[in-house]
Amino acid sequence: MDYSQFLAMKQEIGLLVVFLLVFLYDTFMPKKAQSNLPGVTCLFFALFTAACFCPCLLTNAESFSGMYESSAVIVTIKNILNVGVLIVLIQSMKWANSEMQIMRRGEFYELLLVTLFGMYLMISARHFLLFVIGLEAASLPLAAMVAFDKKHYESHEAAVKYIMTAVFSSAIFMMGLSFVYGLTGTLYFDGIANAIVGEDQLNVLLIVALAFVISGVGFKLSLVPFHLWTADVYQGAPTSVTSYLSVISKGATAFAFLVIMVQVFGTLYSQVWEWMLYGLIILTITIGNLFALRQSNMKRFLAFSSISQAGYIMLGVIALNTTGMASLLYYILVYIFSNLAAFGVVSAIENKTGKLSMEDYNGLYKTNPRLSFAMMLAMFSLAGIPPFAGFFSKFFIFTGAIQQGSIAIYVLVLIALINTIPSLYYYLRVVKAMFINDSETPIESFRSATSERLGLWISVGGIILLGIVSCVYNYLLDLTAPSDMFAGLL
Amino acid sequence: MDQITPLLILALPLCMFLFLGLAGNKMSHKMAGILGTLGMGVTLILAYSTAFTYFFSGNPDFIDAAGNRLQSVIFDFTWLEFTENLVIKLGFLLDPISAMMLVVITTISFMVHLYSLGYMHGEKGFQRYYAFLSLFSFSMLGLVVATNIFQMYIFWELVGASSYLLIGFYYTKPSAVSASKKAFIVTRFADLGFLIGILILSFFTETFNFIDMTSAPENVLASTGGATFMGASVLTWALVLIFMGGMGKSAMMPLHIWLPDAMEGPTPVSALIHAATMVVAGVYLVARMFPVYLMEEAALTIVTVVGALTALYAAIVACTQVDIKRVLAFSTISQIAFMMVALGVARPEIHEGVGYMASMFHLFTHAMFKALLFLGAGALIHAVHSNDYTAMGGLRKYMPITHITFLIGCLAIAGIPPFAGFFSKDEILVAAFENNMLWGLWMTAVAGLTAFYMFRLYYRIFWWNTPDYEKHGHVPHDAPWTMTLPLIILATVSIVAGFIPFGELVTWNREAYHIHLNWTVATTSVLVAVVAILIATVMYRKENAISDKIANSVKGLWTAAYNRFYFDELYIFITHKIIFNLVSRPIAWFDRHIIDGTMDMFATMAHKASGAIKGLQSGSIQTYVLVYLLGALLLGVVTVVCVML
């Protein structure tokens, strides 16, 4: 075997090194040095993240007979995820240092890094075997992370719900894969794509298989109707895990989903899965919004908001062009900053006071103006109010979809646009609670931990800067433009 | 030329604004003030060095072998790129007028920063004040160096916003709040025209870039393809609409109504924004687009007529006002109108476009002496605690420095040689006479009025009758050095600025032009000014009844002028009676019943739907899995059925 093939996996290797360093530090360092573990992890990961931005990585590579692929776009999406993970790590420092977690926080970091590794594999896989390994590596440890608040009953319930749905969705997903394998005799992405062209395209089994594959991935993206676990799990899990689940896991899966749908099933687009996705997007955005309207728990509210956001992300897939892909990357980046800003505020308040209900946020502006501002910016960005980043990410993703050109997509974009109105309502509800509503017992004024503030500064900075600086999107657009993934599919 | 200095000129005030705005409350007043002033001082040095390099270095980027100055884009980076043509850039354009404006803005701004250390001493919100000053300086600098009309528009709005913030600085005072609102609404209304003008122009030319437009204005004309709208060419429409933006900012009639009220802001702000810099943005805009304006005689005629009417109107009103800041405000309006007229009458064939040069020259000198007058007025108000000259009189004995500097300012604005105003105003009159006898005589008359009302003000403040200051327990005296130093500096500049060989530096086609005095015009205008000053001396030097008698003999005119010819009342009538009743009420009804009704219906529907499906989220894992399975199957089956059919 040619071991130099591993060199194509530079980011994976780097991540593995970080993982091992953290693991060794956690296991072998004396008790005294243990208290630095969160800081050390953040440092390692920050170095790794910075190193990954080296332009020398932006090359095309393929290894293990085409099972693994790397390219400039793939490196970039991994970098985007890294930035998000770094913010999550920084934000979770306070939580990891709390008395309840201090014994087990090493495992928290290790599990988190392993899931990230799984996501890397999902993104780079060009063979379903590798993809499934990645998928499972990214799913199963998450259940343990969800259950991390050992003394909280809800945390356990959430973990059980998560693992059961995850296992169930894996089963369906793999059943779909086995159909595909049975029809085509291969699990290579390009192999399947070639075989589908040769076959009678409208095979009933193939369509059902496709539905199963979509549902399997749809579980991770929480597309309606595969989303029901989301709210309970988001609410029950520790907030740091929830934020990880809602942005990183979702972002990675969205990109992997795009790759699968285009590279494997691209030829079936106009006849089959455009319409499947079409229905799912409408359902996801609308139902996510309808549920978000009446939530009173902040984490549950953000869960439904993230469901609805996933629907918008899927517009980048249905666009089936490079603009769509670039805007999907951009959307994920912006979404990372916006959602992590929101979760950062929620977790800062939760860590301090344990309060999570929207009513508790009444009058927050008077006591904690900075947190309120951060939350307001996050809400504005999520709702897509200019000039913040969220407006542009929505704008570009709509642009990408519209470039697809069919009337049906125009209608879809219109529906998505109409759906931004109720979303504006519920995002502003939070802002109203903080700035307008009065409370007799507001959350008292406090100074959040340095790590929490740092995380919030980064997120808020991202929200504002991405709104002003246009070169990021242009860069992504240039990056995706040479891709020939979409050639001849429409 | 390096790009760092120009970048710093913009970045420093912006950083100062952010820093003082965010961290200002944590530091003492003194610290914030000194920091702001220092920041502006450094900007001043950088701007001076940039302007010096531009004018005198002989760098081939800035001047060609024949001695013509060049327009040089120092940097121009793409900010937003929508399509290939629709690109919005932010850049730094260095040419004679922008280099001159850099000097004007940083000089006045620095003086005002320094002056405010004394004037605003102990005010609540001192740090906020300095933060806003920095924001304004940043915006104004960004405006003058704009490489394209869209950048100019962005900064145009930014100066509007900072002006709004500063007029309303004393936000606990209702009059200040309503004045800031008025300024904002009126200028915004004008900017609507500006924006439409930009859209029309760029629609035809497919560019925002100034250099593209002004270097080949005939292409701009050609690009419209001779299209007309309501009898005027499309280009005229575009230019007049753009000029409308300039009318709003530069307080030209009938959009001048905000400027007198803007005097509610702190006096140094009036000096900086409402006398020297922001209000001349309209003049600057027309100057920037001047080659394009030359393409349409009609547009330039409108500029001239609006300018001439405003000049006379404001001068007449200024003769009747009691509040010294309002006198200065109307005088500002009148002087800006001079600059507008100069641009309007400028033609390349008349003395190589002397009007353009004169307009810019007057902009420069006026900025200096008007800032001086305003800062002087600030010192007076500081000493007497009243804005009205009725509370003053005989102050020459109490405030010698203020007296001398104010007198220099008055002589400069009246156009007495060798003070700065004489030279620039003289060139304007020459340009006006050469264009048309009517405009020449008209503007000479206004110049005479200027001399009269300024000296009326001067005598009422420093001579007339000395009230018993001691009775009020407060003897006026000269201000601390932070306030008198800027006065002295500006007074010095007002004396010598006229000798700057302006024609060598700033002309419409950037070729050197040698100024020569036209003796007939110069003598006439000086004579008129001297006569006007003599009349003012007779009427106001000592307390007497002449002025009241005259006022009574033309009572109607006097009252009308005192009430600014009822422009405000006219606006209130139009807005309250006509627009509110005929337009707003029906729209409000439509909004409340149709639009809100529809939205309410949607909201109710959304809430009902959300209630109807809430059972789905039962919390039971069995249901979840079942729904999941049914969903996956349904997705497959429905698609199969659809595809098979």
Side-chain angles (χ1 to χ4, degrees):
Chain A
M1 186 176 164
D2 178 10
Y3 288 100
S4 67
Q5 295 194 49
F6 282 105
L7 283 180
M9 316 174 75
K10 291 189 187 70
Q11 279 170 304
E12 281 78 2
I13 294 173
L15 183 61
L16 213 55
V17 171
V18 175
F19 168 75
L20 285 175
L21 284 173
V22 173
F23 177 70
L24 293 174
Y25 193 97
D26 179 37
T27 318
F28 295 112
M29 284 306 261
K31 257 236 146 75
K32 248 191 190 162
Q34 288 281 340
S35 61
N36 296 328
L37 183 65
V40 170
T41 313
C42 286
L43 182 70
F44 285 152
F45 198 83
L47 291 175
F48 165 63
T49 307
C52 284
F53 277 99
C54 169
C56 58
L57 289 175
L58 296 174
T59 49
N60 296 327
E62 211 184 75
S63 55
F64 308 115
S65 10
M67 280 175 102
Y68 175 94
E69 191 190 326
S70 182
S71 68
V73 181
I74 290 176
V75 170
T76 308
I77 176 77
K78 287 176 185 167
N79 282 341
I80 291 176
L81 295 179
N82 284 346
V83 172
V85 172
L86 187 61
I87 301 176
V88 171
L89 284 178
I90 294 173
Q91 281 180 346
S92 64
M93 273 165 95
K94 171 96 189 291
W95 173 75
N97 275 332
S98 66
E99 216 169 300
M100 221 171 28
Q101 310 302 340
I102 209 147
M103 288 297 294
R104 295 171 283 132
R105 60 184 179 194
E107 283 126 68
F108 169 73
Y109 291 123
E110 286 143 26
L111 288 171
L112 189 146
L113 294 174
V114 168
T115 53
L116 184 62
F117 190 82
M119 290 168 204
Y120 276 16
L121 290 187
M122 280 166 73
I123 291 167
S124 276
R126 293 298 173 267
H127 186 282
F128 271 117
L129 203 56
L130 194 60
F131 183 83
V132 171
I133 294 174
L135 185 71
E136 295 302 331
S139 289
L140 297 181
L142 271 175
M145 287 165 70
V146 171
F148 229 76
D149 268 346
K150 217 171 171 180
K151 294 190 178 146
H152 277 133
Y153 162 74
E154 293 90 349
S155 185
H156 297 209
E157 183 192 327
V160 170
K161 281 182 178 165
Y162 180 76
I163 193 105
M164 288 190 60
T165 330
V167 168
F168 188 78
S169 84
S170 291
I172 300 235
F173 179 68
M174 281 194 250
M175 185 154 160
L177 279 191
S178 64
F179 288 169
V180 173
Y181 185 70
L183 285 167
T184 61
T186 175
L187 282 175
Y188 277 108
F189 285 10
D190 48 357
I192 298 172
N194 292 337
I196 289 177
V197 176
E199 290 271 323
D200 173 16
Q201 286 206 3
L202 302 177
N203 191 320
V204 176
L205 201 56
L206 188 61
I207 295 174
V208 174
L210 194 51
F212 284 1
V213 168
I214 291 182
S215 77
V217 184
F219 152 75
K220 289 217 69 142
L221 287 169
S222 12
L223 299 183
V224 176
F226 318 116
H227 70 289
L228 287 162
W229 61 279
T230 318
D232 296 357
V233 173
Y234 277 27
Q235 187 184 4
T239 308
S240 307
V241 178
T242 310
S243 54
Y244 181 71
L245 208 57
S246 73
V247 291
I248 311 296
S249 173
K250 193 164 278 189
T253 318
F255 184 79
F257 184 63
L258 171 84
V259 172
I260 293 185
M261 295 318 279
V262 175
Q263 287 208 332
V264 184
F265 301 109
T267 46
L268 296 176
Y269 173 76
S270 53
Q271 276 159 309
V272 185
W273 64 263
E274 181 186 359
W275 306 109
M276 291 181 171
L277 205 53
Y278 198 94
L280 290 182
I281 290 175
I282 295 180
L283 273 180
T284 306
I285 296 181
T286 316
I287 294 198
N289 276 346
L290 287 179
F291 273 107
L293 283 178
R294 39 171 74 226
Q295 299 306 320
S296 56
N297 177 295
M298 283 306 286
K299 277 159 85 176
R300 252 183 121 72
F301 155 73
L302 284 170
F304 285 109
S305 123
S306 85
I307 291 175
S308 150
Q309 297 282 346
Y312 288 100
I313 296 181
M314 284 304 105
L315 285 174
V317 179
I318 208 169
L320 204 77
N321 52 39
T322 52
T323 320
M325 185 150 95
S327 56
L328 180 125
L329 291 182
Y330 187 71
Y331 202 104
I332 292 172
L333 179 64
V334 171
Y335 177 61
I336 283 177
F337 285 127
S338 321
N339 226 24
L340 287 183
F343 271 114
V345 176
V346 170
S347 88
I349 289 174
E350 191 196 6
N351 285 337
K352 200 75 192 178
T353 63
K355 289 182 175 171
L356 272 174
S357 146
M358 206 181 280
E359 275 176 23
D360 295 331
Y361 282 58
N362 286 351
L364 185 68
Y365 171 66
K366 292 207 178 98
T367 53
N368 292 295
R370 288 184 193 203
L371 280 182
S372 311
F373 265 116
M375 190 63 156
M376 181 186 80
L377 289 183
M379 291 297 124
F380 281 1
S381 183
L382 284 171
I385 294 177
F388 303 108
F391 166 74
F392 294 97
S393 64
K394 277 216 171 68
F395 178 76
F396 291 134
I397 212 142
F398 289 152
T399 318
I402 287 213
Q403 282 184 7
Q404 195 258 15
S406 70
I407 304 225
I409 298 284
Y410 281 112
V411 176
L412 181 64
V413 169
L414 185 68
I415 294 173
L417 266 176
I418 292 175
N419 258 298
T420 55
I421 300 169
S423 81
L424 197 62
Y425 165 75
Y426 59 73
Y427 287 124
L428 289 184
R429 217 155 66 98
V430 181
V431 179
K432 172 170 173 274
M434 293 187 303
F435 285 84
I436 298 176
N437 291 1
D438 279 326
S439 167
E440 287 176 7
T441 53
I443 294 171
E444 55 209 75
S445 178
F446 68 90
R447 194 170 167 78
S448 40
T450 319
S451 56
E452 287 169 339
R453 264 180 288 139
L454 180 61
L456 277 178
W457 274 112
I458 301 176
S459 317
V460 168
I463 293 173
I464 295 174
L465 278 184
L466 283 177
I468 303 170
V469 182
S470 64
C471 59
V472 180
Y473 178 70
N474 288 338
Y475 172 75
L476 292 175
L477 209 55
D478 291 341
L479 208 62
T480 54
S483 166
D484 55 358
M485 266 167 83
F486 302 99
L489 292 182
L490 256 182
Chain B
M1 177 165 185
D2 69 319
Q3 302 188 344
I4 305 295
T5 320
L7 202 59
L8 274 179
I9 292 176
L10 294 178
L12 255 176
L14 179 64
C15 292
M16 247 344 149
F17 160 63
L18 292 175
F19 181 68
L20 290 176
L22 293 172
N25 280 332
K26 297 218 170 102
M27 56 180 86
S28 68
H29 284 197
K30 206 169 179 183
M31 185 73 190
I34 290 177
L35 264 179
T37 312
L38 273 182
M40 204 55 229
V42 177
T43 316
L44 170 95
I45 294 168
L46 294 174
Y48 273 35
S49 85
T50 307
F52 186 83
T53 319
Y54 180 77
F55 283 121
F56 304 114
S57 71
N59 183 325
D61 281 350
F62 301 141
I63 190 161
D64 66 9
N68 299 331
R69 298 185 188 282
L70 303 170
Q71 291 183 304
S72 172
V73 176
I74 306 293
F75 60 81
D76 204 14
F77 62 84
T78 306
W79 181 51
L80 287 176
E81 187 169 357
F82 292 106
T83 65
E84 217 157 284
N85 280 333
L86 189 55
V87 181
I88 296 175
K89 295 188 168 186
L90 295 180
F92 196 105
L93 172 68
L94 205 51
D95 72 348
I97 52 175
S98 69
M100 176 201 79
M101 288 303 284
L102 287 182
V103 172
V104 172
I105 295 164
T106 50
T107 310
I108 307 292
S109 182
F110 179 70
M111 293 303 153
V112 165
H113 272 79
L114 188 63
Y115 182 89
S116 302
L117 285 177
Y119 187 83
M120 298 298 284
H121 184 78
E123 292 279 356
K124 192 168 163 278
F126 190 80
Q127 299 97 329
R128 180 165 55 94
Y129 173 80
Y130 269 91
F132 288 161
L133 278 189
S134 300
L135 173 66
F136 172 76
S137 308
F138 160 70
S139 323
M140 194 65 210
L141 289 167
L143 190 157
V144 295
V145 300
T147 54
N148 58 74
I149 198 162
F150 211 91
Q151 180 187 354
M152 192 182 229
Y153 182 72
I154 293 171
F155 284 97
W156 187 272
E157 293 303 326
L158 267 175
V159 287
S162 28
S163 149
Y164 165 79
L165 291 169
L166 282 166
I167 296 172
F169 179 74
Y170 300 118
Y171 59 83
T172 47
K173 228 166 83 182
S175 60
V177 173
S178 67
S180 65
K181 267 196 307 197
K182 188 170 177 183
F184 196 75
I185 293 169
V186 173
T187 50
R188 264 309 301 163
F189 172 72
D191 295 346
L192 181 69
F194 188 15
L195 183 62
I196 298 173
I198 292 177
L199 292 180
I200 297 176
L201 193 65
S202 57
F203 174 78
F204 286 106
T205 58
E206 300 191 335
T207 177
F208 290 128
N209 199 323
F210 282 129
I211 295 185
D212 290 351
M213 284 192 258
T214 52
S215 61
E218 57 282 353
N219 290 351
V220 175
L221 184 63
S223 68
T224 61
T228 57
F229 178 71
M230 286 172 62
S233 81
V234 167
L235 186 59
T236 308
W237 275 102
L239 291 175
V240 168
L241 282 167
I242 289 175
F243 176 60
M244 181 177 158
M247 283 166 68
K249 273 277 181 290
S250 291
M252 291 293 107
M253 217 164 60
L255 295 174
H256 65 280
I257 53 163
W258 64 273
L259 188 60
D261 288 24
M263 296 300 133
E264 289 292 343
T267 308
V269 167
S270 311
L272 174 62
I273 303 185
H274 306 118
T277 55
M278 186 189 83
V279 285
V280 296
V283 181
Y284 184 78
L285 172 66
V286 177
R288 180 52 84 213
M289 303 279 292
F290 186 69
V292 185
Y293 274 90
L294 275 181
M295 291 291 114
E296 287 294 349
E297 183 75 26
L300 276 179
T301 310
I302 289 179
V303 173
T304 316
V305 172
V306 168
L309 286 176
T310 310
L312 182 65
Y313 159 81
I316 293 175
V317 175
C319 293
T320 62
Q321 298 299 307
V322 173
D323 181 330
I324 60 173
K325 282 184 76 182
R326 295 207 177 211
V327 176
L328 291 177
F330 278 102
S331 140
T332 306
I333 297 177
S334 174
Q335 295 299 308
I336 296 169
F338 262 93
M339 305 172 205
M340 283 292 186
V341 171
L343 281 176
V345 298
R347 297 289 182 279
E349 60 274 12
I350 304 176
H351 280 306
E352 301 156 53
V354 66
Y356 181 94
M357 188 280 293
S359 169
M360 292 295 109
F361 195 8
H362 199 57
L363 192 161
F364 182 83
T365 55
H366 171 256
M368 301 300 162
F369 59 67
K370 188 49 73 58
L372 165 65
L373 288 169
F374 263 108
L375 294 184
L380 293 167
I381 293 168
H382 198 65
V384 184
H385 301 294
S386 167
N387 278 11
D388 291 352
Y389 63 55
T390 45
M392 303 173 188
L395 282 174
R396 66 184 186 284
K397 282 169 282 184
Y398 297 93
M399 306 173 73
I401 302 180
T402 315
H403 169 229
I404 298 298
T405 50
F406 201 88
L407 177 60
I408 292 172
C410 289
L411 288 169
I413 195 173
I416 303 295
F419 298 96
F422 163 72
F423 296 93
S424 52
K425 196 174 280 179
D426 184 64
E427 294 300 318
I428 292 181
L429 294 179
V430 170
F433 271 113
E434 294 283 345
N435 182 285
N436 191 323
M437 196 67 180
L438 168 70
W439 296 136
L441 291 174
W442 182 297
M443 296 319 284
T444 311
V446 177
L449 272 175
T450 310
F452 172 74
Y453 68 69
M454 282 317 294
F455 274 84
R456 165 175 173 270
L457 185 67
Y458 165 75
Y459 284 121
R460 286 298 305 245
I461 294 172
F462 293 102
W463 299 74
W464 195 252
N465 158 34
T466 313
D468 191 0
Y469 292 112
E470 268 151 64
K471 202 173 78 189
H472 305 296
H474 184 88
V475 182
H477 55 85
D478 263 325
W481 71 269
T482 47
M483 290 167 69
T484 45
L485 182 65
L487 291 180
I488 295 169
I489 297 175
L490 287 172
T492 319
V493 176
S494 301
I495 297 173
V496 299
F499 298 100
I500 297 174
F502 222 78
E504 316 269 329
L505 305 176
V506 180
T507 53
W508 82 279
N509 52 6
R510 297 182 295 286
E511 283 169 19
Y513 163 81
H514 189 68
I515 301 182
H516 39 83
L517 285 178
N518 180 326
W519 288 108
T520 337
V521 175
T523 329
T524 336
S525 74
V526 171
L527 266 179
V528 169
V530 169
V531 169
I533 292 173
L534 285 177
I535 297 174
T537 315
V538 173
M539 283 170 71
Y540 297 105
R541 188 168 169 276
K542 282 229 171 72
E543 184 167 11
N544 60 53
I546 305 173
S547 56
D548 287 345
K549 268 188 210 151
I550 295 176
N552 276 331
S553 63
V554 283
K555 201 162 172 83
L557 180 66
W558 186 272
T559 325
Y562 183 75
N563 290 312
R564 310 172 213 165
F565 293 99
Y566 304 105
F567 261 101
D568 292 78
E569 286 72 13
L570 182 69
Y571 272 99
I572 286 178
F573 174 76
I574 292 175
T575 48
H576 285 221
K577 292 274 148 68
I578 297 178
I579 297 181
F580 282 8
N581 282 336
L582 296 183
V583 184
S584 306
R585 278 180 212 283
I587 291 178
W589 184 89
F590 184 81
D591 183 63
R592 209 166 302 133
H593 291 91
I594 311 288
I595 297 182
D596 285 6
T598 319
M599 285 302 140
D600 286 348
M601 190 187 74
F602 280 130
T604 323
M605 270 165 54
H607 238 87
K608 285 221 169 99
S610 150
I613 55 171
K614 74 173 178 208
L616 199 62
Q617 198 77 40
S618 61
S620 142
I621 184 81
Q622 291 89 333
T623 324
Y624 290 4
V625 173
L626 188 66
V627 171
Y628 187 109
L629 184 63
L630 287 179
L633 285 175
L634 204 66
L635 186 64
V637 170
V638 169
T639 320
V640 167
V641 170
C642 290
V643 170
M644 291 303 147
L645 289 178

